[in-house]
């Protein structure tokens, strides 16, 4: 085992879900493989134990730990040293480990056995290790409020000794709740909404609408950068990019007027609905937050959601902007959101956007604009970017880092 980093992952909420457990574990294991082992990187070995996954790799411990801490569905991430199954080896390893980590102070040993075929009970083992630490280092025992906690876990072929544990992402394993399509802009809200959807077990595909040909590629760069960050939490992400500028003009030409932004939202949602059905997503996700901007009044949210029959999930509906930004900072998308871009939403924005709209009025605008034909045209122009380890149709390993376009129905010129 020497030269190998070892990290234990403990399941969170998963343990509560009696009958679904097997299915959840399957998703979790696959996600760990996808997110922890990089296609071009150092191999990570994953072993499955009762309620625990054991990762071993030649990667530096810090790196392995950082990757493991991104896995959704894991509640505790614990670096560990595997040692032979004898009480003396365990005690020696504990002393070595606290010295190595420069720890000091009142301590407690917590021992547990995942298998009972061990010469000592958990209490006896904890006492044995505690004696040794007290003798060699002279620290006092404090079982209630220790400064140093030594964790000992007896396993089948070895014993794991740890002195640190970190909180994981928590939540349900990605995929356990199904698949969703996220409407992703370059802003703060939708990436956070995507992350929260993943945390409830939804594997997320992404769609971004650009104002092309009337805007440049900056918003696509931002959306792609967001997906790269979010991919740490699920692996194998796919981003569809659809140029919607010309269609927006058609809505304006059909007299959308002050309801232009709402008409545009409805078109995005309608197109996303059709795309979701193609990629097997059972729900749509947006970063809407009630009342944040004119297009997010209750009236406008209601008018917009009439344009899709799929469940429309809005994980941030009741979040304040500062809460959203704090979460964006935590998951690593805030700096991307801050970059300037040309958003398709600012094309044709009316000077006084309507805060109250009706489905009937918007439906009339859409008939005049010929929306039924617009949707298939938009889908035909969509481009797919797949990040490493993507599975499913059109996916190829390792495409991510080059930003390979895998399909391009519009031009037929894409490489990939
Ligand atoms: P965000 O910070 O996510 O851009 P926002 O506060 O700017 O959100 P809006 O611009 O009103 O809010 O957009 C509401 C939601 O509509 C977004 O959270 C996102 O889900 C979706 N959306 C907006 N613009 C786009 C786009 N260009 N492509 C895909 N989805 C979009
Ligand atoms: Mg926006």
């Amino acid at each position: 085992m020497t030269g190998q980093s070892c990290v234990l992952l403990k399941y969170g909420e998963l343990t509560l879900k009696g009958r679904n457990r097997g299915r959840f574990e399957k998703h979790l294991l696959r996600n760990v493989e996808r997110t922890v082992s990089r296609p071009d990187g150092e191999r990570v070995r994953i072993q499955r134990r009762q309620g625990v996954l054991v990762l071993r790799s030649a990667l530096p411990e810090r790196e392995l730990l950082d990757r493991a801490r991104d896995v959704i569905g894991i509640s505790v991430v614990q670096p560990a040293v595997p040692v032979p199954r004898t009480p003396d080896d365990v005690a020696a390893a504990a002393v070595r480990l606290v010295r190595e980590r420069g720890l000091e102070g009142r301590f407690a040993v917590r021992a547990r056995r995942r298998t009972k075929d061990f010469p000592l009970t958990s209490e006896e083992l904890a006492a044995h290790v505690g004696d040794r630490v007290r003798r060699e280092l002279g620290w006092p025992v404090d079982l209630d409020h220790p400064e140093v906690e030594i964790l000992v876990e007896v396993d089948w072929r070895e014993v794991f000794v740890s002195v640190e544990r970190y909180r994981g992402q928590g939540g349900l394993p990605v995929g356990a709740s199904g698949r969703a399509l996220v409407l992703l802009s370059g802003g703060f809200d939708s990436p956070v909404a995507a992350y929260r959807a993943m945390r409830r077990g939804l594997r997320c595909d992404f769609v971004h609408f650009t104002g092309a040909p009337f805007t440049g590629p900056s918003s696509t760069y931002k959306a792609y950068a967001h997906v790269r960050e979010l991919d740490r939490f699920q692996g194998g992400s796919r981003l569809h990019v659809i140029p919607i500028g010309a269609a927006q003009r058609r809505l304006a030409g059909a007299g959308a007027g002050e309801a232009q932004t709402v008409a545009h939202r409805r078109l995005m949602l309608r197109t996303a609905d059709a795309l979701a059905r193609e990629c097997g997503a059972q729900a749509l996700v947006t970063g809407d937050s009630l009342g944040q901007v004119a297009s997010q009044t209750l009236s406008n949210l209601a008018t917009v959601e009439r344009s899709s029959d799929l469940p429309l999930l809005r994980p941030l509906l009741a979040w304040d902007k500062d809460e959203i930004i704090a979460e964006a900072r935590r998951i690593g998308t805030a700096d991307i959101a801050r970059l300037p871009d040309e958003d398709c939403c600012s094309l044709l924005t009316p000077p006084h956007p309507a805060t109250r709209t009706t489905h009937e009025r918007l439906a009339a605008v859409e008939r005049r604009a010929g929306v039924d034909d617009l949707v298939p045209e938009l889908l035909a122009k969509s481009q797919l970017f797949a990040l490493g380890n993507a599975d499913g149709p059109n996916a190829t390993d390792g495409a991510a880092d080059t930003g390979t376009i895998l399909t391009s129905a519009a031009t037929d010129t894409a490489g990939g």
Side-chain angles (χ1 to χ4, degrees):
M1 300 297 148
T2 44
Q4 286 244 308
S5 304
C6 175
V7 171
L8 309 182
L9 308 187
K10 314 255 171 104
Y11 309 169
E13 218 168 314
L14 196 57
T15 42
L16 304 174
K17 309 278 172 177
R19 281 197 314 177
N20 284 328
R21 196 183 163 110
R23 196 166 60 80
F24 280 26
E25 277 186 326
K26 196 189 78 198
H27 284 292
L28 188 59
L29 206 63
R30 197 142 58 101
N31 296 340
V32 171
E33 273 160 16
R34 274 183 164 147
T35 48
V36 175
S37 314
R38 306 280 150 87
D40 50 347
E42 200 58 64
R43 245 180 72 79
V44 178
R45 235 175 84 216
I46 306 166
Q47 290 168 311
R48 189 167 158 187
R49 303 286 160 82
Q50 222 171 50
V52 181
L53 296 178
V54 183
L55 307 189
R56 294 176 222 257
S57 169
L59 284 171
E61 183 182 282
R62 178 51 50 184
E63 168 97 34
L64 188 61
L65 195 60
D66 285 347
R67 291 185 189 189
R69 288 183 72 181
D70 285 338
V71 180
I72 289 177
I74 296 295
S75 61
V76 172
V77 180
Q78 186 175 317
V81 177
V83 297
R85 293 172 100 240
T86 75
D88 282 340
D89 279 314
V90 175
V95 170
R96 209 179 328 116
L97 193 58
V98 290
R99 274 202 178 120
E100 247 172 52
R101 303 280 154 131
L103 298 171
E104 196 176 333
R106 292 172 282 108
F107 78 101
V109 181
R110 319 270 188 221
R112 52 175 298 207
R113 299 179 305 168
R114 267 192 283 282
T115 161
K116 306 297 174 205
D117 64 335
F118 190 75
L120 305 185
T121 65
S122 300
E123 291 73 34
E124 288 164 351
L125 178 59
H128 180 80
V129 174
D131 270 350
R132 177 84 165 261
V133 171
R134 210 177 35 206
R135 264 189 289 118
E136 290 204 20
L137 303 173
W139 302 346
V141 173
D142 183 345
L143 294 183
D144 297 322
H145 305 287
E147 294 164 284
V148 180
E149 213 170 8
I150 300 171
L151 309 164
V152 176
E153 301 185 17
V154 177
D155 215 292
W156 278 268
R157 295 212 192 84
E158 63 223 318
V159 176
F160 295 106
V161 183
S162 305
V163 288
E164 294 159 277
R165 44 196 272 139
Y166 300 92
R167 197 188 281 278
Q169 294 295 323
L172 303 176
V174 168
S177 302
R179 193 180 268 272
L181 178 64
V182 180
L183 284 87
L184 188 74
S185 72
F188 284 100
D189 306 337
S190 41
V192 173
Y195 169 77
R196 301 305 294 203
M198 289 175 188
R199 279 259 304 256
R200 294 317 298 165
L202 287 170
R203 169 156 286 280
C204 291
D205 289 324
F206 302 90
V207 58
H208 174 67
F209 295 92
T210 79
F214 307 113
T215 58
S218 55
S219 75
T220 302
Y221 295 155
K222 286 177 70 176
Y224 185 78
H226 279 320
V227 173
R228 271 193 70 142
E229 279 306 318
L230 292 167
D231 191 60
R232 295 181 357 249
F233 304 109
Q234 64 171 14
S237 304
R238 293 183 290 177
L239 168 65
H240 303 262
V241 176
I242 300 182
I244 203 174
Q248 284 180 271
R249 290 238 164 140
R250 285 231 326 239
L251 291 170
E258 294 186 342
Q260 172 70 31
T261 313
V262 176
H264 171 217
R265 283 286 137 72
R266 278 170 60 104
L267 180 58
M268 293 201 299
L269 205 65
R270 198 160 161 155
T271 310
D273 178 296
L275 180 60
R277 291 169 201 277
E278 276 184 9
C279 56
Q282 302 124 331
L284 300 176
V285 174
T286 70
D288 286 316
S289 160
L290 183 60
Q292 195 191 77
V293 290
S295 58
Q296 293 167 350
T297 60
L298 193 54
S299 166
N300 285 342
L301 292 179
T303 305
V304 169
E305 76 182 20
R306 288 283 294 271
S307 52
S308 163
D309 288 333
L310 289 172
L312 177 58
L313 309 179
R314 300 180 173 107
L316 307 185
L317 190 78
W319 287 41
D320 297 337
K321 195 76 186 186
D322 52 354
E323 293 171 321
I324 295 170
I325 292 176
E327 184 77 335
R329 220 177 273 133
R330 193 179 74 76
I331 64 172
T333 54
D335 288 340
I336 301 163
R338 264 192 214 94
L339 299 170
D341 70 350
E342 282 183 283
D343 188 53
C344 62
C345 298
S346 43
L347 280 180
L348 307 165
T349 305
H352 304 289
T355 52
R356 291 182 63 84
T357 53
T358 64
H359 169 69
E360 289 68 26
R361 161 144 158 58
L362 270 296
V365 171
E366 286 161 358
R367 270 193 303 278
R368 288 197 292 277
V371 160
D372 285 343
D373 300 330
L374 275 180
V375 171
E377 282 170 30
L378 289 171
L379 285 186
K381 288 183 194 154
S382 126
Q383 292 190 321
L384 174 62
F385 297 79
L387 275 71
N389 282 346
D391 61 11
N394 307 320
T396 306
D397 276 1
D401 292 333
T402 52
T404 313
I405 299 169
L406 296 174
T407 63
S408 175
T411 59
D412 269 338
T413 57

